[in-house]
Amino acid sequence: MALKKLKPVTAGTRHRLAPGFDDITESKPEKSLLAPLKKTGGRNNVGHLTMRYIGGGHKQKLRVIDFKRDKTGVPATVKSIEYDPTRSARLAKLYYADGAKAYILAPAGIKVGQKLMSGEDVAPEVGNALPLAKIPVGTIVHNVEIQPGKGGSIARSAGSFVQLVAREGEYATLKMPSGEMRNVLSRCIATVGTVSNADHMNESVGKAGRSRWRGIRPRTRGVAMNPVDHPMGGGEGRASGGHPRSRKGLYTKGKKTRHPKKYSDGLIIARRKK
């Protein structure tokens, strides 16, 4: 998928890099795989504002996605590649041989009409899902489980992938998108290939109104506030607020927030690059 450079007809299109939808083959989603998505406006169940800078946005429907890929041994045909307004990756609609339908994250390079499978004895080809124990070392995968049977939770955004670098005993070693080296149980399921729509990171919004369509309201800088509203507020003129802090006074931009005795520390071989 290539990005579109728009002509500078208006100020909003001058620096706009729009996504190209040439890879999408169907514009209407499958009704049986949709769920309602309610806007919160950043409010909780009693109406109090708990998340600032959220509000408005276009009405959306949630696509129910199969992250588990647990229909083992049943061949599926890729019926279409579709757009999902709630995520950066593209979706692939599968028609299984037994009549079931499902959405999955579309891997890069997948084509309409292609046959996909999931299971232990499946070939490690793009789009197929199988346990890490059955995938050759060095393979690029995505949608990787952390706990067997829970469903994929690693490498699900556009263009992301994980590399299987080693296997020893009941654990497989993965190189994460962040550069971290981590052990995961070999029984966990992963899908071969990278996630589609890798050009998503190069998109340019172009104008503030497009953020409003996504439900993102303008964010006020802390240094622009008064001292009563933010630790970095106040001062004469355009004075900065000292060390960057959050609204509650906690250091940000550098302070370590990870728990020093987190349960997964024993599974992490090398931390991510700083």
Side-chain angles (χ1 to χ4, degrees), residues 127-188:
N128 287 348
L130 55 162
L132 291 168
K134 301 289 185 178
I135 298 176
V137 174
T139 306
I140 298 295
V141 294
H142 68 276
N143 191 36
V144 186
E145 291 180 332
I146 291 182
Q147 297 176 14
K150 187 179 180 182
S153 54
I154 303 174
R156 303 197 319 193
S157 63
S160 60
F161 61 88
V162 167
Q163 187 174 20
L164 177 61
V165 294
R167 209 170 24 236
E168 185 176 352
E170 62 175 352
Y171 285 100
T173 304
L174 303 177
K175 186 176 183 182
M176 311 288 273
S178 62
E180 177 180 291
M181 302 285 281
R182 180 193 180 97
N183 280 339
V184 175
L185 286 169
S186 298
R187 305 196 307 273
C188 291

Side-chain angles (χ1 to χ4, degrees), residues 125-270:
E125 298 173 352
V126 172
N128 287 348
L130 55 162
L132 291 168
K134 301 289 185 178
I135 298 176
V137 174
T139 306
I140 298 295
V141 294
H142 68 276
N143 191 36
V144 186
E145 291 180 332
I146 291 182
Q147 297 176 14
K150 187 179 180 182
S153 54
I154 303 174
R156 303 197 319 193
S157 63
S160 60
F161 61 88
V162 167
Q163 187 174 20
L164 177 61
V165 294
R167 209 170 24 236
E168 185 176 352
E170 62 175 352
Y171 285 100
T173 304
L174 303 177
K175 186 176 183 182
M176 311 288 273
S178 62
E180 177 180 291
M181 302 285 281
R182 180 193 180 97
N183 280 339
V184 175
L185 286 169
S186 298
R187 305 196 307 273
C188 291
I189 304 290
T191 306
V192 180
T194 65
V195 186
S196 56
N197 196 22
D199 278 331
H200 173 76
M201 62 179 292
N202 299 319
E203 290 180 21
S204 176
V205 175
K207 64 180 183 179
R210 192 167 291 274
S211 289
R212 301 306 297 263
W213 300 343
R214 295 175 178 179
I216 304 170
R217 296 183 62 228
R219 182 175 290 269
T220 306
R221 295 169 299 126
V223 293
M225 299 181 189
N226 291 321
V228 69
D229 300 315
H230 202 280
M232 295 163 62
E236 294 293 331
R238 291 176 176 267
S240 64
H243 195 288
R245 297 170 184 262
S246 71
R247 197 181 185 199
K248 294 187 176 180
L250 302 174
Y251 279 135
T252 182
K253 293 189 177 178
K255 179 174 171 58
K256 294 185 185 302
T257 56
R258 184 180 172 86
H259 195 279
K261 296 179 181 178
K262 192 162 183 178
Y263 69 95
S264 60
D265 279 350
L267 299 175
I268 295 174
I269 300 170

Side-chain angles (χ1 to χ4, degrees), residues 23-219:
D23 55 340
I24 289 175
T25 62
E26 191 170 333
S27 58
K28 289 189 177 181
E30 178 68 34
K31 280 191 175 181
S32 62
L33 298 174
L34 294 180
L37 186 63
K38 189 177 183 295
K39 299 282 185 183
T40 64
R43 272 78 176 171
N44 63 5
N45 60 326
V46 292
H48 293 169
L49 186 74
T50 55
M51 290 294 294
R52 298 181 298 162
Y53 314 130
I54 294 176
H58 202 287
K59 189 175 181 179
Q60 297 170 331
K61 286 283 183 73
L62 191 68
R63 275 72 170 166
V64 179
I65 298 173
D66 179 18
F67 292 115
K68 293 187 177 182
R69 299 292 299 273
D70 53 1
K71 284 185 77 70
T72 58
V74 183
T77 305
V78 179
K79 190 69 175 178
S80 61
I81 307 294
E82 297 183 16
Y83 171 78
D84 187 350
T86 62
R87 66 181 62 247
S88 55
R90 301 286 185 246
L91 301 183
K93 184 166 65 179
L94 302 186
Y95 279 18
Y96 285 93
D98 60 359
K101 300 176 184 178
Y103 276 130
I104 65 166
L105 297 177
I110 203 170
K111 302 293 183 185
V112 174
Q114 190 171 328
K115 300 287 185 181
L116 301 183
M117 287 272 286
S118 59
E120 290 195 5
D121 302 321
V122 173
E125 298 173 352
V126 172
N128 287 348
L130 55 162
L132 291 168
K134 301 289 185 178
I135 298 176
V137 174
T139 306
I140 298 295
V141 294
H142 68 276
N143 191 36
V144 186
E145 291 180 332
I146 291 182
Q147 297 176 14
K150 187 179 180 182
S153 54
I154 303 174
R156 303 197 319 193
S157 63
S160 60
F161 61 88
V162 167
Q163 187 174 20
L164 177 61
V165 294
R167 209 170 24 236
E168 185 176 352
E170 62 175 352
Y171 285 100
T173 304
L174 303 177
K175 186 176 183 182
M176 311 288 273
S178 62
E180 177 180 291
M181 302 285 281
R182 180 193 180 97
N183 280 339
V184 175
L185 286 169
S186 298
R187 305 196 307 273
C188 291
I189 304 290
T191 306
V192 180
T194 65
V195 186
S196 56
N197 196 22
D199 278 331
H200 173 76
M201 62 179 292
N202 299 319
E203 290 180 21
S204 176
V205 175
K207 64 180 183 179
R210 192 167 291 274
S211 289
R212 301 306 297 263
W213 300 343
R214 295 175 178 179
I216 304 170
R217 296 183 62 228
R219 182 175 290 269

